[in-house]
């Protein structure tokens, strides 16, 4: 599960700092050196990365996207000094193409994906993201959507719960957890994070519970991903972002669990390899890669950063640059 980065403040106000900020700035800087660059922060959060990018590039226009109205509200206040250089939109990241068309920036110079859950969502108990608080089973990033974790837990068939826990939580005891949820919800609806955490703990073998942190973390991750469609959104949003990049444009992705990171790796690998038949003496232009990787594997935060911000511990950074336009664009 993502260590849920602290996005609250690049200056440390409130004790929160954006994850791998210096590296993000370094990776995006070459793409933002032109006369009127445009960058997209596809998971705006509290605007820590956005603030630092705007401060570093006086000509930059930033398009910020977040599905959470609270994030939009707080980022609007935080980024007020740059009000004439920002466009903030309440939307899901996979609506990126439509958002860019609406704001008049169909091609962009850079894009940042800072995935997962932001600090306000974790730290505000009533939102039900964390097993460390007793709260209603909610987990919605956008409070206006209908699907909640309570609905998933109490109405999904047990086989579907097993799939979600196994695929999204990588929970090796998914059948045990799902079957116990099914048994307990038949007695009484499961409506609180505390009750769900108790059920998961009971389902996990005692020997396993003694290691690896809270036994509920994988179940909570799985439910959060299901409720918010996080992997589905990334699967659509990342290719759309790559398509929108101009020549020399760059994408940076901060992932916080292996599912996000593997999906990112797969999408970037597909865009950075030749697609022509093997054995040709000269690669055909149509099959040459359009992108090049900027990171060797997934880069990790430094030990110093983790000591300063423990929630950065699970961060994985990957980046790529557009090195060639598509043939039909040349």
């Amino acid at each position: 599960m993502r260590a849920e980065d602290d996005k609250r403040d690049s200056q440390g106000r409130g004790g929160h700092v954006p994850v791998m900020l210096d590296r993000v700035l370094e990776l995006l800087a070459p793409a933002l050196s032109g006369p009127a660059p445009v960058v997209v922060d596809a998971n705006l959060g509290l605007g820590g990365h956005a603030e630092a990018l705007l401060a570093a590039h006086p000509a930059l226009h930033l398009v910020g996207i977040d599905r959470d109205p609270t994030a939009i509200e707080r980022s609007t206040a935080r980024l007020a000094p740059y009000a004439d250089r920002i466009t903030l939109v309440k939307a899901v990241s996979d609506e990126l193409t439509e958002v860019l068309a609406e704001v008049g920036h169909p091609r962009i110079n850079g894009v940042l994906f800072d995935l997962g859950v932001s600090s306000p969502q974790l730290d505000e108990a009533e939102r039900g993201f964390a097993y460390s608080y007793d709260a209603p089973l909610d987990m919605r990033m956008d409070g206006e959507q209908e699907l909640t974790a309570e609905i998933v837990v109490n109405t999904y068939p047990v086989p579907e719960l097993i799939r979600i826990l196994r695929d999204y939580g990588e929970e090796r005891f998914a059948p045990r957890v799902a079957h116990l949820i099914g048994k307990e919800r038949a007695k009484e609806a499961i409506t609180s994070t505390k009750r769900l955490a108790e059920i998961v703990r009971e389902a996990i073998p005692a020997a396993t519970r003694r290691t690896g942190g809270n036994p509920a973390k994988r179940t909570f991750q799985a439910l959060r991903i299901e409720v918010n469609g996080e992997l589905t959104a990334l699967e659509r949003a990342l290719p759309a972002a790559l398509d929108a990049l101009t020549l020399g444009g760059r994408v940076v992705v901060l992932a916080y669990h292996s599912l996000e990171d593997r999906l990112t790796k797969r999408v970037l690998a597909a865009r950075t390899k030749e697609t022509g038949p093997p054995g040709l003496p000269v690669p055909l232009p149509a099959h040459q890669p359009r992108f090049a990787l900027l990171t060797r594997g997934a880069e990790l935060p430094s030990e110093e950063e983790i000591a300063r911000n423990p929630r950065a511990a699970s961060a994985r950074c990957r980046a790529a640059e557009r090195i060639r336009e598509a043939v039909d664009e040349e």
Side-chain angles (χ1 to χ4, degrees):
M1 178 178 180
R2 169 182 176 177
E4 279 80 18
D5 62 325
D6 277 319
K7 300 179 183 177
R8 197 168 298 179
D9 199 296
S10 61
Q11 304 302 317
R13 292 188 294 268
H16 298 276
V17 293
V19 168
M20 298 184 73
L21 178 60
D22 291 343
R23 186 58 174 145
V24 168
L25 293 175
E26 179 183 18
L27 286 165
L28 286 174
L32 306 180
S33 59
V38 177
V39 71
V40 172
D41 188 335
N43 309 94
L44 184 63
L46 284 170
H49 290 103
E51 181 182 50
L53 286 163
L54 288 160
H57 302 280
L60 179 68
H61 189 91
L62 182 136
V63 178
I65 299 173
D66 205 295
R67 71 175 79 187
D68 187 341
T70 301
I72 296 294
E73 178 183 348
R74 294 183 182 180
S75 290
T76 298
R78 177 180 189 156
L79 302 177
Y82 308 99
D84 59 337
R85 294 199 283 126
I86 63 173
T87 305
L88 306 187
V89 182
K90 180 184 176 296
V92 183
S93 60
D94 63 1
E95 300 173 282
L96 185 143
T97 301
E98 294 80 3
V99 168
L100 292 180
E102 289 174 7
V103 302
H105 296 291
R107 301 299 300 274
I108 56 178
N109 304 95
V111 59
L112 170 64
F113 287 90
D114 187 12
L115 303 170
V117 178
S118 62
S119 292
Q121 293 164 341
L122 272 183
D123 295 340
E124 294 170 2
E126 65 274 10
R127 303 192 68 168
F129 282 94
Y131 43 78
S132 54
Y133 304 112
D134 188 18
L137 266 179
D138 193 320
M139 300 194 193
R140 292 174 294 177
M141 293 181 180
D142 179 358
E144 296 178 0
Q145 77 173 41
E146 292 185 6
L147 184 64
T148 66
E150 181 177 336
I151 292 174
V152 174
V153 166
N154 288 287
T155 69
Y156 277 29
V158 168
E160 184 67 3
L161 287 178
I162 293 173
R163 182 193 67 80
I164 291 167
L165 298 181
R166 184 184 59 238
D167 293 352
Y168 296 162
E170 299 180 292
E171 173 57 76
R172 63 190 177 110
F173 298 107
R176 294 177 60 136
V177 174
H179 282 293
L180 188 55
I181 287 173
K183 178 181 176 181
E184 293 299 316
R185 75 187 185 187
K187 303 175 187 175
E188 183 180 9
I190 302 165
T191 61
S192 74
T193 55
K194 180 181 180 182
R195 180 66 184 127
L196 178 61
E198 290 172 348
I199 292 169
V200 175
R201 180 176 179 81
E202 184 179 343
I204 302 295
T208 302
R209 294 201 304 263
R210 288 193 283 269
T211 60
N214 193 306
K217 64 182 181 181
R218 289 176 293 275
T219 293
F220 274 63
Q221 172 183 298
L223 292 172
R224 191 200 79 216
I225 291 173
E226 170 67 15
V227 168
N228 297 288
E230 293 176 38
L231 293 176
T232 303
L234 178 61
E235 198 166 21
R236 293 195 293 255
L238 184 50
L242 293 170
D243 290 342
L245 287 175
T246 60
L247 191 63
R250 294 186 167 198
V251 61
V252 176
V253 182
L254 293 174
Y256 297 86
H257 56 72
S258 59
L259 300 172
E260 293 172 337
D261 187 51
R262 284 201 297 266
L263 176 54
T264 300
K265 179 182 178 180
R266 186 172 73 245
V267 172
L268 295 183
R271 297 295 188 104
T272 55
K273 68 178 182 181
E274 294 181 9
T275 58
L280 294 178
V282 179
L284 299 172
H287 298 293
Q288 291 180 331
R290 309 291 172 226
F291 293 84
L293 295 176
L294 298 170
T295 51
R296 295 186 63 181
E299 294 186 357
L300 310 180
S302 66
E303 292 182 4
E304 292 79 9
E305 176 169 1
I306 294 172
R308 187 173 66 250
N309 180 14
R311 287 183 176 174
S314 60
R316 303 291 182 268
C317 178
R318 296 182 188 269
E321 177 182 11
R322 181 183 277 277
I323 58 172
R324 188 174 290 106
E325 294 282 15
V327 171
D328 61 0
E329 296 171 349
E330 293 174 345

